[in-house]
Amino acid sequence: MINREWHLIGRPVGRPKPEDFALVETEAPQPREGQVLVRNEYLSVDPYMRGRMSAAKSYVAPYELGKAMQGGAVGEVVASNAEGVAVGDHVLHFGGWREYAAVDARHAVRVDPEAAPLSAYLGVLGMTGLTAYAGLLRTASFKEGDIVFVSGAAGAVGSQVGQLARLKGAARVIGSAGSDEKVKLLLEEYGFDAAFNYRNGPVSEQLRAAAPDGIDVYFDNVGGDHLEAAIGSLNQGGRIAVCGMISVYNNTEPAPGPRNLARLIQTRGRIEGFLVGDHYDLQPQFVREVGPWVRDGRLKYRETVVEGIENTLEAFLGVLRGDNIGKMLVKL
């Protein structure tokens, strides 16, 4: 079988360009002892992947030049050389950016396509959902009655953070997004109390108008002027959970830090970064609590689906541009 896979062939400088990548035809791999061969049905493209395209040391190894990239994927097992996983099973794994992946069975998680759409296991019920859950409840120490601000709030993680806060009794939930269409979505579908388009004026001014009583929690997906604005509106004892900083991912020079960090002394505020990989112990609790909310419609989610392996790169570049509403996925 022919297998198409995306290779990184050059380290991007600034915004990634198509010439940094190549779609390569290979033979589908054969599963070794303890492995399964998966025909991928959905691939995930995520902002953190931009960091793996750089050679700089980070919390995860860089992509290797001239080799297939990696990412979340879900698909059907078409050959098995491992006990406990049968042909026809569906599994969640990390061999994305390709049509067929040979995966160690111990790193593949069986999922039920009857219980939820396969795509949901890459988003609302997968790593995306757990990121929102852990960041809000554990890192930001959310408590009932908090006023919560979420940047990138129409994205896959941000939209869930806002809804989780609302379902758990937030006094007010505010979101920022990059278009009037997305602001409307936050207010009318996701139940945010206030939202603004950050392109329409200074973030600090718009946040003060949306949160006249300040904020207790800020969930950061953007960094930059959003982080500075959040520090400026932080109440005493406020907490900031840093999930991502998409505004600086393509910078070729270091971005200036917030100019008002001294305010953390006055507010006794706290800023803490986190990685979802440190919080997988919450997975059973997350599924137990959030699963029913998804099934009965109390927690809504959107997906932006791009068709075809050949369009995976464009889908990824779209994430960096903010083209997606909710989770960006590629359907093969």
Side-chain angles (χ1 to χ4, degrees):
M1 295 181 292
I2 296 298
N3 180 38
R4 291 180 292 173
E5 56 188 33
W6 281 96
H7 290 198
L8 184 69
I9 59 173
R11 302 283 181 199
V13 177
R15 187 170 293 276
K17 302 178 290 297
E19 52 264 37
D20 297 322
F21 307 85
L23 182 60
V24 177
E25 283 193 358
T26 65
E27 287 189 14
Q30 295 299 313
R32 301 191 303 271
E33 183 70 27
Q35 288 189 329
V36 295
L37 180 65
V38 183
R39 178 178 57 81
N40 288 331
E41 297 184 40
Y42 286 92
L43 310 178
S44 177
V45 288
D46 304 282
Y48 82 87
M49 294 174 173
R50 175 61 185 87
R52 296 196 67 186
M53 295 170 188
S54 167
K57 185 177 181 180
S58 184
Y59 60 88
V60 64
Y63 290 132
E64 295 184 59
L65 293 180
K67 293 188 178 181
M69 294 184 290
Q70 299 167 329
V74 65
E76 182 180 359
V77 175
V78 294
S80 177
N81 199 9
E83 292 185 11
V85 185
V87 171
D89 286 347
H90 287 81
V91 296
L92 179 68
H93 62 96
F94 210 64
W97 288 85
R98 70 201 79 184
E99 291 176 306
Y100 290 89
V103 181
D104 289 346
R106 60 194 175 94
H107 294 147
V109 178
R110 280 192 293 179
V111 297
D112 183 359
E114 300 298 323
L118 282 178
S119 59
Y121 294 105
L122 289 172
V124 66
L125 293 177
M127 186 175 70
T128 299
L130 182 60
T131 300
Y133 189 86
L136 179 68
L137 301 183
R138 178 174 282 173
T139 306
S141 304
F142 171 85
K143 59 183 184 297
E144 187 175 350
D146 278 344
I147 299 171
V148 177
F149 172 45
V150 186
S151 59
V157 173
S159 59
Q160 285 195 241
V161 173
Q163 292 183 83
L164 287 171
R166 177 176 53 79
L167 288 164
K168 284 189 159 291
R172 187 168 175 81
V173 179
I174 303 109
S176 72
S179 71
D180 293 340
E181 176 192 8
K182 291 180 179 180
V183 168
K184 183 178 180 182
L185 175 70
L186 295 178
L187 296 171
E188 296 183 1
E189 184 167 329
Y190 294 151
F192 282 61
D193 298 290
F196 59 86
N197 181 346
Y198 65 81
R199 303 181 194 275
N200 289 346
V203 175
S204 57
E205 294 179 9
Q206 295 195 76
L207 178 58
R208 281 196 296 270
D213 296 322
I215 62 172
D216 302 299
V217 167
Y218 171 48
F219 193 104
D220 190 15
N221 291 304
V222 174
D225 55 355
H226 281 74
L227 178 56
E228 185 169 294
I231 293 171
S233 287
L234 204 64
N235 290 331
Q236 185 167 319
R239 291 88 64 202
I240 296 175
V242 181
C243 176
M245 292 191 175
I246 197 169
S247 69
V248 304
Y249 287 169
N250 292 318
N251 288 3
T252 56
E253 297 292 334
R259 297 166 295 180
N260 56 350
L261 283 173
R263 194 166 185 279
L264 295 174
I265 302 169
Q266 172 192 342
T267 61
R268 291 73 148 181
R270 170 168 61 85
I271 302 178
E272 183 177 346
F274 76 99
L275 296 173
V276 67
D278 297 332
H279 302 281
Y280 280 120
D281 62 296
L282 290 176
Q283 181 76 26
Q285 175 184 322
F286 159 68
V287 173
R288 189 166 56 246
E289 184 169 20
V290 175
W293 290 342
V294 174
R295 285 192 292 272
D296 66 20
R298 280 182 288 171
L299 197 152
K300 299 175 172 60
Y301 68 98
R302 290 280 195 101
E303 297 172 339
T304 300
V305 181
V306 173
E307 300 266 352
I309 184 74
E310 65 277 6
N311 294 315
T312 304
L313 175 59
E314 180 56 29
F316 169 71
L317 297 176
V319 170
L320 298 182
R321 292 191 300 263
D323 294 352
N324 55 304
I325 295 178
K327 179 71 175 175
M328 179 71 91
L329 297 165
V330 179
K331 183 179 181 181
L332 304 189

